[in-house]
Amino acid sequence: MEHYEKQHKEHFSGSALAVNSGVEQPPVVSPYFKKVKRRQLSVDDYMKGILEGNTTVLSQAITLIESLRPEHYELSQKIIEKCLPYSGKSVRIGITGVPGAGKSTFIEAIGNKVTNLGHKLAVLAIDPSSEKSKGSILGDKTRMETLVHNEKAFIRPSPSAGSLGGVARKTRETVILCEAAGFDVIFIETVGVGQSETAVHSMVDLFLMIQISGAGDELQGIKRGIMEMADMVAINKADGDNIQRANLTKAHFVNALNLFPMPESKWKPRVYTCSSIEGTGLLDIWSGVEDFIRFTRENGYYQKNRNRQAKYWMYETINDALKERFYQNEEVKNQLAFFERKVLDNEISSFIAARELLRIYSEKK
Amino acid sequence: MEHYEKQHKEHFSGSALAVNSGVEQPPVVSPYFKKVKRRQLSVDDYMKGILEGNTTVLSQAITLIESLRPEHYELSQKIIEKCLPYSGKSVRIGITGVPGAGKSTFIEAIGNKVTNLGHKLAVLAIDPSSEKSKGSILGDKTRMETLVHNEKAFIRPSPSAGSLGGVARKTRETVILCEAAGFDVIFIETVGVGQSETAVHSMVDLFLMIQISGAGDELQGIKRGIMEMADMVAINKADGDNIQRANLTKAHFVNALNLFPMPESKWKPRVYTCSSIEGTGLLDIWSGVEDFIRFTRENGYYQKNRNRQAKYWMYETINDALKERFYQNEEVKNQLAFFERKVLDNEISSFIAARELLRIYSEKK
């Protein structure tokens, strides 16, 4: 008990909290949060707040998931476990598209339509650039101004530290909490660069690719593997004198998608045009999403896909935990830099260094 | 000692050996091997055979690396450690190219030139298709008929089981053994599909991309990331009435490569044309390889790159070993299928399953 009080104190002391940068808290401070802040949050407090749909508590719990401190990680796992029975009921949608396709504008425009239909929407992101630049796609939340202030929407920037695998796991865990908080539509945004699509694909029910019409070479630069993942394609910016071009691009995509074999879902990918600025085509896309979900639920693919994803995440979680335990081990932490230096200076081989560190780990844990 | 005799017995008993399929042994059975086969190979036997350049013993040692049995893995690690002081002295060259570019023919043609110059050549492969199809690029060794019978060349198909990461580590370890056996030029072949290039790139000094001339759209389909890795490009099949097109393609590549910023090596990537069938251009390419090695050795990039790769492999080796220990744990092996089934049947969540398996592992090891 003392242990938990200690970590809660640290958690709320602010400066001691090793959270990722760029994670902004929602502007509203609820009375619930004020109250619990004084008496420290227990796992049950977190769960209660999340189940009540309190986004401040939800944000705090997500911060624990993203924290680099082992005690925060442990606490987050307890919260996730409590929330699990209340999760799984959302429609999870992956959204990809090259920079410039207008993803943020699209998400904002369709997001507001979706909440108007009575849904609660959470927007998450997996940002592969985070590995290098520590940046975040959604860090620039000003691009989603109206959605940020939409009470039925919750926007969470990408965790900005760690490997893609780690970020993906954290996003997957965040989905659980958002679902427990009553969000029944989850968007997971990424950019079109390959590996992050695969990660997103492993946690969503439907994959939507945003495209814009180009100068006749629309299909160039789109990787075959990403095309193959798409259940739906939306040609954005179909407005003004761009409408004809967008329709042409749509035709190109329909042709291109016809070249692929029928996917396992038996769902023939659909291509739409839309304008995020004029708001046209968005409800058609949403209706397409509903068709997809109905279709795959009926033919059993929906559940099969989710179960397979769960199996994948079982292995990912194990592999992550094994690394976590190793690299968080005190003795390993003390020795890692030393051995890394020796390897970089060519004094010992990578294999010997690895063996020594593994020996230290086996002996000292 | 008993333990080792046991595993050696198993190793040579044939049927008990869990090696990968498609791994063919060299046709020559040396007197050395005949002798040691009777009295079982010790770590020192392996080392002695390898240092003598005995390719039969080398092949057996590589088979241990590729074996899925933990005791073989342990033995292979001991052999590698003994061989380490004798490794590192080869020129390691990654060779990539889309299927149809004539990689095998190219490797055979330039390989014979390289051995004629007095080098000993080992040809290895990282085959990403192995994950799904269990196939092997070099499985079809008949395509390298003359190289197979070249006494100064050693061809080893890709290990055909395990993840790309595992296959990559095994290939990296195989490089060590080949170097200790006196091979001073190592080719590591892969196909142009992204992740495997990154893996190969992490273990070679020079990256060579094989291309053929197409119908004006030569640069299409080549991923930017792979282009950026290339230190040299060879336009293959520059023969007959294809010479002019090959020269045009070369010009396109020169232009395209000019668009990239100067790489850290300060080596400006070169583009060559060649014909594997007519044997033209191959010695120019080899001379380019020598230029590259000289240039990067002089400016320090060569060693810096190798040290950085060593650091990378320290982490990869650790991460692989952590997984190896977990998934080879007897109790985990007994329970894994059970939990996987429960997750697939949606009876428990992936997180709970992972936690339970991790708990079993922590308690039972």
Side-chain angles (χ1 to χ4, degrees):
Chain A
M1 272 312 271
E2 246 177 41
H3 174 66
Y4 274 107
E5 276 176 22
K6 185 169 167 287
Q7 82 192 40
H8 286 161
K9 232 171 257 162
E10 282 174 4
H11 177 51
F12 285 108
S13 70
S15 66
L17 182 62
V19 293
N20 303 309
S21 62
V23 178
E24 202 184 296
Q25 299 311 324
V28 190
V29 177
S30 73
Y32 179 78
F33 180 67
K34 273 191 186 150
K35 191 181 70 191
V36 295
K37 190 170 179 180
R38 258 175 261 124
R39 64 170 177 83
Q40 314 301 349
L41 287 182
S42 68
V43 173
D44 284 335
D45 289 334
Y46 275 111
M47 187 183 69
K48 188 168 171 289
I50 289 167
L51 291 184
E52 282 175 1
N54 184 314
T55 52
T56 309
V57 175
L58 173 63
S59 282
Q60 290 293 350
I62 296 170
T63 301
L64 291 178
I65 291 176
E66 293 171 353
S67 167
L68 301 174
R69 298 178 69 126
E71 63 269 30
H72 291 162
Y73 174 77
E74 274 170 44
L75 180 58
S76 75
Q77 296 304 303
K78 289 188 168 66
I79 299 166
I80 290 163
E81 209 172 312
K82 290 263 186 188
C83 287
L84 269 169
Y86 306 95
S87 73
K89 292 179 196 83
S90 79
V91 171
R92 303 165 184 165
I93 301 170
I95 300 180
T96 189
V98 292
K103 266 197 315 296
S104 299
T105 332
F106 173 84
I107 288 172
E108 169 151 54
I110 200 169
N112 284 321
K113 299 258 183 209
V114 167
T115 56
N116 279 346
L117 290 171
H119 294 289
K120 279 184 74 185
L121 169 72
V123 182
L124 314 175
I126 289 184
D127 183 354
S129 73
S130 60
E131 273 186 77
K132 283 179 183 171
S133 67
K134 311 274 177 204
S136 175
I137 303 172
L138 292 175
D140 185 7
K141 278 211 283 185
T142 50
R143 286 191 295 173
M144 296 194 193
E145 255 181 25
T146 62
L147 204 56
V148 165
H149 296 107
N150 182 330
E151 280 191 1
K152 298 173 84 177
F154 174 75
I155 302 180
R156 181 75 182 192
S158 177
S160 56
S163 67
L164 175 61
V167 168
R169 180 185 49 76
K170 288 170 184 179
T171 303
R172 160 98 180 165
E173 292 176 353
T174 300
V175 168
I176 307 285
L177 300 192
C178 289
E179 289 176 341
F183 292 95
D184 63 339
V185 178
I186 317 263
F187 287 173
I188 304 175
E189 180 189 353
T190 185
V191 296
V193 291
Q195 288 198 297
S196 57
E197 269 72 15
T198 312
V200 171
H201 195 245
S202 68
M203 61 179 84
V204 297
D205 304 313
L206 181 151
F207 206 63
L208 171 64
M209 189 164 73
I210 312 291
Q211 289 289 330
I212 43 168
S213 46
D217 56 355
E218 299 81 8
L219 300 181
Q220 251 184 299
I222 301 165
K223 288 171 187 159
R224 193 186 146 90
I226 295 175
M227 274 283 273
E228 277 176 315
M229 286 180 202
D231 302 298
M232 287 171 57
V233 179
I235 317 294
N236 198 9
K237 303 189 185 179
D239 39 43
D241 47 8
N242 206 28
I243 290 179
Q244 213 180 337
R245 281 212 301 178
N247 283 328
L248 194 66
T249 305
K250 177 181 165 176
H252 283 168
F253 268 93
V254 169
N255 287 340
L257 287 167
N258 274 335
L259 300 174
F260 291 113
M262 177 66 85
E264 197 194 335
S265 63
K266 304 290 179 211
W267 168 265
K268 208 170 152 48
R270 291 191 192 167
V271 187
Y272 295 85
T273 59
C274 67
S275 166
S276 304
I277 291 164
E278 298 187 353
T280 50
L282 300 170
L283 283 175
D284 287 341
I285 291 171
W286 184 250
S287 159
V289 168
E290 290 177 329
D291 287 348
F292 175 88
I293 299 299
R294 200 179 306 117
F295 180 82
T296 55
R297 276 193 180 146
E298 277 170 15
N299 75 10
Y301 177 79
Y302 181 90
Q303 195 55 48
K304 190 179 168 193
N305 183 47
R306 282 213 167 178
N307 294 351
R308 199 164 40 192
Q309 290 177 339
K311 177 185 151 189
Y312 172 81
W313 284 100
M314 180 185 93
Y315 284 103
E316 287 294 300
T317 305
I318 289 170
N319 297 345
D320 262 19
L322 294 173
K323 283 196 234 176
E324 184 100 15
R325 288 178 181 185
F326 180 85
Y327 293 106
Q328 293 298 333
N329 176 283
E330 282 307 317
E331 208 57 39
V332 169
K333 276 204 270 190
N334 289 340
Q335 300 285 330
L336 193 62
F338 171 78
F339 280 101
E340 192 182 303
R341 192 69 255 161
K342 274 193 174 293
V343 167
L344 277 172
D345 291 346
N346 209 24
E347 285 176 32
I348 56 171
S349 80
S350 51
F351 299 103
I352 306 284
R355 193 201 54 192
E356 284 305 299
L357 283 163
L358 288 162
R359 194 182 51 72
I360 288 166
Y361 177 60
S362 299
E363 284 171 6
K364 291 298 167 68
K365 81 185 146 178
Chain B
M1 269 318 266
E2 247 178 40
H3 173 65
Y4 274 107
E5 277 176 21
K6 184 170 167 287
Q7 80 192 42
H8 286 161
K9 231 170 258 163
E10 280 175 6
H11 177 50
F12 285 108
S13 70
S15 66
L17 182 62
V19 295
N20 303 306
S21 61
V23 177
E24 201 184 299
Q25 299 310 325
V28 190
V29 177
S30 75
Y32 180 78
F33 180 67
K34 273 190 186 148
K35 190 182 70 192
V36 294
K37 191 170 179 181
R38 258 176 260 122
R39 63 169 178 82
Q40 314 301 351
L41 286 182
S42 68
V43 172
D44 284 334
D45 290 333
Y46 275 111
M47 188 183 69
K48 187 167 172 290
I50 289 167
L51 291 183
E52 281 175 2
N54 183 314
T55 51
T56 309
V57 175
L58 174 62
S59 282
Q60 291 292 349
I62 297 171
T63 300
L64 291 178
I65 291 176
E66 293 171 354
S67 167
L68 301 174
R69 298 177 69 126
E71 63 269 30
H72 292 162
Y73 174 77
E74 274 171 44
L75 180 58
S76 75
Q77 295 305 302
K78 290 188 167 64
I79 299 166
I80 290 163
E81 209 172 311
K82 291 263 186 188
C83 287
L84 269 168
Y86 307 95
S87 73
K89 291 178 196 85
S90 79
V91 171
R92 303 165 185 166
I93 301 169
I95 299 180
T96 188
V98 291
K103 267 197 315 295
S104 299
T105 333
F106 174 84
I107 288 173
E108 169 151 55
I110 200 168
N112 284 321
K113 300 258 182 209
V114 166
T115 57
N116 279 345
L117 290 171
H119 294 289
K120 277 185 73 185
L121 169 71
V123 182
L124 314 175
I126 290 185
D127 183 354
S129 71
S130 60
E131 272 185 77
K132 281 180 183 168
S133 68
K134 311 273 177 205
S136 174
I137 302 173
L138 292 176
D140 185 7
K141 278 208 284 186
T142 49
R143 287 190 296 173
M144 296 195 193
E145 255 183 23
T146 63
L147 204 57
V148 165
H149 296 108
N150 182 331
E151 279 192 2
K152 297 173 85 179
F154 174 75
I155 302 179
R156 181 75 182 191
S158 177
S160 56
S163 67
L164 174 60
V167 168
R169 179 185 50 76
K170 289 170 184 178
T171 303
R172 160 98 181 166
E173 291 176 353
T174 301
V175 168
I176 308 285
L177 299 192
C178 289
E179 289 176 343
F183 292 95
D184 63 338
V185 177
I186 316 262
F187 287 173
I188 304 175
E189 179 190 355
T190 183
V191 295
V193 290
Q195 288 198 296
S196 57
E197 270 71 15
T198 312
V200 171
H201 196 244
S202 69
M203 61 179 83
V204 297
D205 304 313
L206 182 150
F207 206 65
L208 171 63
M209 189 165 73
I210 312 290
Q211 288 288 331
I212 43 167
S213 47
D217 54 355
E218 300 80 9
L219 300 181
Q220 252 184 298
I222 302 165
K223 288 173 188 160
R224 195 186 145 90
I226 295 174
M227 275 282 274
E228 277 176 317
M229 285 180 202
D231 301 299
M232 288 170 58
V233 179
I235 317 293
N236 198 9
K237 304 190 183 177
D239 38 42
D241 47 7
N242 205 29
I243 291 179
Q244 212 181 337
R245 280 209 303 176
N247 284 327
L248 194 66
T249 304
K250 177 181 165 177
H252 283 169
F253 268 93
V254 170
N255 287 340
L257 287 166
N258 275 335
L259 300 175
F260 291 112
M262 177 66 86
E264 197 193 336
S265 63
K266 305 288 178 214
W267 168 266
K268 208 170 150 48
R270 291 190 192 168
V271 187
Y272 296 84
T273 58
C274 68
S275 165
S276 305
I277 291 164
E278 298 186 351
T280 50
L282 299 170
L283 283 175
D284 288 341
I285 291 172
W286 184 250
S287 160
V289 168
E290 291 177 329
D291 288 349
F292 174 89
I293 299 299
R294 200 180 308 116
F295 180 82
T296 54
R297 275 193 180 144
E298 276 170 15
N299 75 10
Y301 176 79
Y302 180 90
Q303 196 54 49
K304 190 178 167 192
N305 183 46
R306 283 214 168 177
N307 295 351
R308 201 167 35 194
Q309 290 177 340
K311 177 184 151 190
Y312 171 81
W313 284 100
M314 180 185 94
Y315 284 102
E316 288 293 300
T317 306
I318 289 170
N319 296 344
D320 262 21
L322 294 173
K323 283 196 237 176
E324 185 101 14
R325 287 178 181 184
F326 180 83
Y327 293 105
Q328 294 296 334
N329 175 283
E330 282 306 318
E331 206 57 39
V332 169
K333 276 205 270 190
N334 290 340
Q335 300 285 330
L336 193 62
F338 171 77
F339 280 101
E340 193 183 301
R341 194 67 254 163
K342 273 194 174 292
V343 166
L344 277 172
D345 291 345
N346 209 24
E347 285 176 31
I348 57 170
S349 80
S350 51
F351 299 103
I352 305 283
R355 193 201 56 192
E356 284 306 300
L357 284 163
L358 288 161
R359 193 181 52 73
I360 288 166
Y361 177 60
S362 299
E363 284 171 7
K364 292 296 166 69
K365 81 182 146 183

